[in-house]
Amino acid sequence: MKLTGKASLENEFYLYSMNGGGPATYTITDGMLEILYGDQCLEFPYIYNQPSFTVWEAILTEGGEVFLIVSDWPDDEGLYILSFSEKGSNYAIVGEGLTDFLVIDGRVYLLYHEEGIYHTYSDNYFNGYSMYALLKWDIAQNEMVRVLPDELLFSIDDGNSFCYDGKENLYIFYYGNAGAEHGTFCLKYNLVTGQGKHYKVPTYYDGSYYYNDRCFGFDGKGIAEFNSELDVINYTTLDMVGVGEVTGGYQALAVFKDDKSYRVYQ
């Protein structure tokens, strides 16, 4: 397992990509959104009135598209997703209960936990998204489309995290049931066939990623490595002192410290 060194994250956000990720900053000036990421400077026309926002999660695709999950944009409606590319920009309200999101072959997948249904403003239409567990954002039509068939959807109460193996499969860690059994599971879901298989896992995994033909999950104390049957075959304990947030995406798990530094495990 590879561990990067520390880097300051003050006034920055973490930008995931298929090949890892790193710190990035953004500015909005004279109708342009500028994102500095490593030695790249990404610029997109910015036609909106909101001069700033808080970035919660961010993804850069291989095609140069940027997707941001943000709050404070434009008001207290929960989270929004923004997309920027050479073709233009778009946005949609995400609502409450979002757990994680991935961009796969230009398609945006959003994983929800059930808390959105029970939010203070649960009568808000958009908070009902969380009852579908997994949604796909159709950018062209600007609408959210449910992904899972009923027989798989009804097994999931709370989605914890998910990752993609780079081929056809999502690994969705969740609390719910598999048949008559209740507990914590992983659903291996094939995006091509629409078929899924449930695996029992020991606990909740709030961050997950897929690297070097292996699935990994973060359980709050360390990183579990799974084999093809989702059995834990290795476990790495992490130093969690001062940790404020942990997120997983594509081929990396980013551990954010309260002192605005981070470590990335790959």
Side-chain angles (χ1 to χ4, degrees), residues 117-179:
I117 300 175
Y118 304 106
H119 188 259
T120 303
Y121 302 104
S122 59
D123 57 347
N124 185 318
Y125 167 78
F126 301 106
N127 291 339
Y129 287 164
S130 59
M131 73 175 64
Y132 298 115
L134 182 66
L135 292 176
K136 180 170 62 178
W137 184 29
D138 182 335
I139 301 175
Q141 300 298 321
N142 199 18
E143 63 180 1
M144 297 294 182
V145 181
R146 61 173 287 187
V147 176
L148 299 176
D150 287 348
E151 61 268 23
L152 297 177
L153 170 64
F154 295 152
S155 66
I156 299 177
D157 291 333
D158 286 307
N160 307 143
S161 66
F162 69 152
C163 57
Y164 173 59
D165 66 2
K167 301 169 186 175
E168 298 179 350
N169 299 295
L170 290 178
Y171 290 78
I172 304 172
F173 291 91
Y174 72 94
Y175 174 82
N177 63 75

Side-chain angles (χ1 to χ4, degrees), residues 6-84:
K6 275 190 169 185
S8 173
L9 274 179
E10 188 172 359
N11 300 319
E12 297 173 331
F13 60 95
Y14 194 86
L15 184 61
Y16 279 103
S17 72
M18 289 293 290
N19 299 315
T25 61
Y26 83 88
T27 57
I28 299 172
T29 307
D30 297 329
M32 295 293 294
L33 171 70
E34 181 181 276
I35 296 176
L36 299 178
Y37 170 61
D39 58 0
Q40 299 184 63
C41 179
L42 307 171
E43 291 186 322
F44 305 98
Y46 188 80
I47 62 176
Y48 309 109
N49 293 325
Q50 291 71 33
S52 65
F53 43 75
T54 300
V55 178
W56 290 95
E57 285 195 65
I59 290 172
L60 170 65
T61 70
E62 291 181 320
E65 297 172 287
V66 171
F67 294 85
L68 307 174
I69 300 292
V70 306
S71 63
D72 312 320
W73 195 95
D75 47 33
D76 189 19
E77 289 283 355
L79 298 177
Y80 289 77
I81 182 167
L82 312 181
S83 71
F84 297 94

Side-chain angles (χ1 to χ4, degrees), residues 237-250:
T237 301
L238 304 184
D239 177 10
M240 300 304 296
V241 175
V243 169
E245 183 184 359
V246 176
T247 64
Y250 300 105

